[in-house]
Amino acid sequence: KTSMIGVFFATPMTAKNVSINALIPAVLRRGTENLPTMKEISKKLESLYGAKFDCGVSKKGENQIIRFYGEAVNKKYTGSNQDTLSELADLINDVIFNPILENGKFKADYVSQEKEQVKDIIESRKNDKVQYALERCYELMFEGEPFGLCEFGTTDRVDKITDDELMNGYENMLNNYQ
């Protein structure tokens, strides 16, 4: 009764790019040129019969995956001609390719807020002791190797990301990632 759509970008993990890649989808989901706030994105999703949209990063072996995905009710169950999946695909396309920018860079307040969110995620890993122990084991066993990296990077690295680095990372994602 629902249809799903996803766009995934994959790249080898490095200590330098992992935190930038974690920040990119967090900033992109904040708004687009057509829907400049999360509130407007939420309203759009509600107009699609409560469609769902999310994005983030995950780790698969030595690769980092940047995910943009959504789920919408199949139009044959809505009683209307509205093509919810197509409109959801347009929204995801808008989020990825039409971000809201200021002077050619991501909105500064969005970036600073999302940096804090990513750092909170990194710090909160310690709350699940079993999972944290496993992740620390990987970090120690594979020190200096991509497999040992956390998919969100480190809080220190997140703090050091500049506006230019983030924009370059975004352009690199669009042009070079699988």
Side-chain angles (χ1 to χ4, degrees), residues 29-32 34-47 91 110:
R29 82 167 142 229
R30 293 294 299 268
T32 72
N34 298 318
L35 302 165
T37 65
M38 290 179 82
K39 183 177 181 179
E40 290 182 53
I41 290 173
S42 292
K43 284 181 182 179
K44 178 63 177 174
L45 292 169
E46 283 303 312
S47 77
L91 171 67
Y110 286 0

Side-chain angles (χ1 to χ4, degrees), residues 6 30-31 39 43 45-46 49 59 63 70 75 106-107 109 118 132 135 163 165 170 173:
R30 293 294 299 268
K39 183 177 181 179
K43 284 181 182 179
L45 292 169
E46 283 303 312
Y49 298 91
K59 175 177 159 178
N63 291 314
K75 77 176 181 179
F106 294 112
K107 283 185 81 165
D109 58 330
V118 170
Y132 183 66
E135 290 173 10
D163 293 342
E165 274 183 309
Y170 167 69
M173 176 192 84

Side-chain angles (χ1 to χ4, degrees), residues 79-91:
S80 79
N81 288 332
Q82 185 179 18
D83 188 351
T84 53
L85 185 61
S86 178
E87 289 187 44
L88 180 60
D90 290 343
L91 171 67

Side-chain angles (χ1 to χ4, degrees), residues 130-144:
V130 173
Q131 185 64 32
Y132 183 66
L134 181 62
E135 290 173 10
R136 283 293 295 145
C137 182
Y138 289 147
E139 287 173 12
L140 295 171
M141 286 175 55
F142 299 98
E143 190 172 352

Side-chain angles (χ1 to χ4, degrees), residues 59-71:
K59 175 177 159 178
K60 246 342 177 190
E62 295 186 350
N63 291 314
Q64 187 177 28
I65 312 299
I66 302 173
R67 311 177 318 265
F68 301 88
Y69 52 94
E71 182 178 359

